[in-house]
Amino acid sequence: MSQVDVIIPTYRPGKKLIKILKALCNQTIIPENIILMNTEQPEFDKNTELLSWLSEHEQKGVKPKVQTHHVTKDEFDHGLTRKQGVSHSDAEFFVCMTDDAIPMGDNVLEMLLQPFRDSKVAVSYARQLPGKESSILERYTRGYNYPEQSVVKTKENLEEYGIKTYFCSNACAAYRRSVFDELGGFIEKTIFNEDMIYAASVIKAGYAIAYEAKAEVLHAHRYGCMDQLHRNFDLGVSQADHPEVFAGISSESEGVKMVTQVIKQLCRDGKWYRVPGFCMNCGFKLIGYRLGKAYKKLPKGIVKKLSMNRNYWKV
């Protein structure tokens, strides 16, 4: 078995993917394979710069080997497509990344794998840092969700952390393959949140989730209010569809805690004038989330318009 493989779903990959591939080739622990699970081959084939890099890399015959598997938009699913990627790997550990999360430094995989020295750790996820294109509000919320301190979470933390116990992000997360197989892996039909749904099964099975702050990736979005509404609508849908995971654990209380702390930090930093915009952004998040939780009561046409992943509703 190879020690670690990396699985990256892609869609219309740009220059960031090349940066990611180059960074992975220069890690202190180099993966055996990078498995690209691409949606829509014609879009992939338009990126001549990427195809040229892949061809040159293949000719060098060095690790990591890069393999590409294509699916259509209708076939793509956040859980199933990643699970298919895992099926192409026989590594003891695998890392899921997104095609816009750039490793910061050459020891990201090394740091991400360190927590697995504890046999109870089944998942380890990285710290996400905001990029230059990130808004100031995203910088503050990233700081809340991805602090400087590492932590290992188990079911004993449910009372203290609540829903945060299950928090995990496939923007950059490593998995112990034996536990992944034991628990059945990612759910095969989900609009969103496949990482947290799997993480919940990890916690409930008595394993642990590690947040490794020393493993850092640059992962930035610039979401407006409507983007936040659509994204959180899908979050609400995923929670409504999986009461076995989320029933009895409030997400809104964690949201209130985050809002309170970010507002305090904005005021401490003299950026009190940012508070109204931040509150408006959070209001759109809350509206989207609550609509998503109640999506079964809404007309199908409205549901599709509210969703970020509209292709999900075709099936």
Side-chain angles (χ1 to χ4, degrees):
M1 276 191 177
S2 56
Q3 187 179 9
V4 61
D5 286 342
V6 177
I7 297 158
I8 308 176
T10 65
Y11 176 59
R12 294 179 176 175
K15 291 185 177 181
K16 281 186 179 181
L17 180 59
I18 298 177
K19 288 183 179 180
I20 294 168
L21 295 173
K22 288 180 178 178
L24 292 173
C25 290
N26 290 289
Q27 292 291 299
T28 53
I29 294 178
I30 297 178
E32 186 76 16
N33 298 286
I34 297 174
I35 301 163
L36 303 180
M37 296 299 299
N38 178 67
T39 300
E40 296 297 338
Q41 183 171 355
E43 297 293 333
F44 188 90
D45 291 344
K46 289 178 183 178
N47 193 328
T48 55
E49 186 179 356
L50 173 62
L51 294 179
S52 176
W53 186 91
L54 290 172
S55 177
E56 290 175 10
H57 180 75
E58 185 178 5
Q59 289 173 17
K60 292 176 184 176
V62 297
K63 293 182 181 178
K65 297 178 180 177
V66 182
Q67 50 180 282
T68 305
H69 304 272
H70 299 284
V71 299
T72 66
K73 263 190 175 183
D74 288 340
E75 292 169 333
F76 174 82
D77 181 89
H78 283 282
L80 176 60
T81 302
R82 286 176 170 86
K83 195 171 183 179
Q84 289 171 335
V86 177
S87 73
H88 296 295
S89 167
D90 65 355
E92 183 180 0
F93 303 99
F94 65 88
V95 174
C96 284
M97 297 184 68
T98 53
D99 63 3
D100 60 350
I102 302 172
M104 300 294 289
D106 62 3
N107 66 343
V108 174
L109 295 187
E110 181 181 349
M111 293 297 101
L112 203 56
L113 292 173
Q114 279 194 354
F116 291 109
R117 294 174 180 175
D118 180 348
S119 61
K120 280 293 184 181
V121 171
V123 184
S124 170
Y125 66 99
R127 185 184 186 194
Q128 296 182 30
L129 301 176
K132 292 180 180 179
E133 65 267 43
S134 300
S135 68
I136 189 169
L137 298 180
E138 184 182 9
R139 291 175 182 274
Y140 277 78
T141 54
R142 288 277 186 199
Y144 176 83
N145 288 322
Y146 300 95
E148 295 179 358
Q149 299 79 26
S150 300
V151 67
V152 176
K153 301 175 289 187
T154 68
K155 63 173 61 176
E156 282 71 35
N157 297 114
L158 277 167
E159 186 172 343
E160 177 185 3
Y161 295 147
I163 192 81
K164 201 80 170 179
T165 311
Y166 300 154
F167 186 73
C168 176
S169 174
N170 269 341
C172 186
Y175 295 83
R176 191 187 298 273
R177 179 63 182 271
S178 59
V179 177
F180 187 84
D181 291 342
E182 174 192 334
L183 300 180
F186 300 126
I187 189 165
E188 295 187 2
K189 178 67 175 174
T190 182
I191 190 170
F192 191 54
N193 232 15
E194 80 293 332
D195 37 22
M196 280 188 70
I197 293 169
Y198 175 76
S201 70
V202 164
I203 293 293
K204 291 179 179 181
Y207 293 104
I209 298 169
Y211 164 61
E212 182 47 70
K214 291 180 181 178
E216 297 179 338
V217 295
L218 195 66
H219 187 226
H221 292 291
R222 196 173 184 90
Y223 289 138
C225 287
M226 287 306 298
D227 296 320
Q228 295 287 13
L229 187 148
H230 293 313
R231 188 174 190 275
N232 282 271
F233 177 83
D234 289 353
L235 175 63
V237 169
S238 75
Q239 292 195 13
D241 283 346
H242 296 282
E244 76 284 359
V245 173
F246 299 104
I249 300 180
S250 173
S251 292
E252 292 184 34
S253 60
E254 175 60 28
V256 170
K257 185 178 176 182
M258 184 273 288
V259 170
T260 301
Q261 290 201 21
V262 170
I263 288 176
K264 287 180 179 178
Q265 189 63 48
L266 283 168
C267 292
R268 280 196 294 267
D269 293 346
K271 294 182 171 63
W272 52 267
Y273 55 90
R274 295 281 188 176
V275 172
F278 175 67
C279 290
M280 179 182 294
N281 192 279
C282 292
F284 274 79
K285 285 184 180 181
L286 180 60
I287 292 169
Y289 172 74
R290 288 189 172 175
L291 287 171
K293 289 277 281 188
Y295 85 93
K296 293 178 183 178
K297 299 177 182 178
L298 301 176
K300 290 184 178 179
I302 297 297
V303 167
K304 189 172 181 180
K305 287 182 179 180
L306 289 171
S307 177
M308 179 173 278
N309 296 288
R310 295 180 181 180
N311 208 61
Y312 175 82
W313 303 99
K314 289 184 178 179
V315 180

